[in-house]
Amino acid sequence: MLALLAALLILLSAPAARSAEPDLATLPLPELAARFEARYGGQHPVQWGPALPGTLTHLPATVAPKGGPVTVALTFDACGGGYDASIIALLRDLRVPATLFLAGPWLTAHPAEAADLARDPLFEIANHGARHRPASVSGRVAYGIRGTRSVAEFVDEVESNARRLAALTGTRPRCYRAATLFCDEVAVRVAADLGQTVTGCTVAADAGATLPAPAVARNLLAARNGDILLLHMNKPDAGSGAGLRAALPELLRRGVRFVRLSDGSEAAEAR
């Protein structure tokens, strides 16, 4: 029990992300996975959830200071399936920056759209995993989706998509979001060692693209300073796009400031 408490204290005090070791990005993926399996394979996770210690769920005070304008981050997941181009058109029309988490299945289905987004400095491209799996080292399930089953499989989930996105954008992504948001604490530490900030949200504004447009709009209009707002851009028939169109002009009228997750990230710390 004392050993477990000590391990948890170390985890709680650990930074959310560290710079990847200099040679990690150049190692062949099987060798990289084997190295991490040797480092972490004997560790047994005890936590499972969408907002573990070391996960970024709120903008830091350096980016969203008290007393300043209400500052929030709009983030969009592209898990697989379709593409709601109306969301991107709206953001471009209103010049609102956003962070876009692109998963491997979506990249494969939409190569031209991904290249278009990567060229636009309004958007930060972030990592949503190679196969869109929960961040597990033991195959745990969240919302019916089985997570990665080992440290090596999780490394491949994160790193192979990070390299794919780096080839697309010319810049290695700094943020990683697990499918369903669920992680275990070992996976959070592995991602940090890969130089990826595990990113959750403050408000799941469209509840996994299940909410109608009026509910999405209400969630967005209730945003508070420092919130990270999560919506989906891969389901054009959902209420996400229409809810955003209803809320975004009003938020701008109120003077809400929108940032990408990497804006001011040198000073950012996960809560």
Side-chain angles (χ1 to χ4, degrees), residues 42-68:
Q43 299 186 19
H44 302 289
V46 297
Q47 297 175 290
W48 181 241
L52 297 190
T55 300
L56 184 70
T57 58
H58 196 275
L59 296 174
T62 51
V63 177
K66 292 181 179 179

Side-chain angles (χ1 to χ4, degrees), residues 108-159:
T108 297
H110 302 281
E113 292 86 348
D116 173 60
L117 296 170
R119 288 190 295 267
D120 193 334
L122 193 64
F123 305 123
E124 173 187 8
I125 304 300
N127 186 357
H128 201 27
R131 288 166 292 279
H132 191 248
R133 301 294 184 190
S136 169
V137 299
S138 60
R140 292 195 67 167
V141 175
Y143 297 105
I145 303 176
R146 181 166 296 281
T148 43
R149 295 167 294 181
S150 65
V151 170
E153 189 171 306
F154 177 66
V155 168
D156 185 75
E157 171 76 5
V158 175
E159 183 64 18

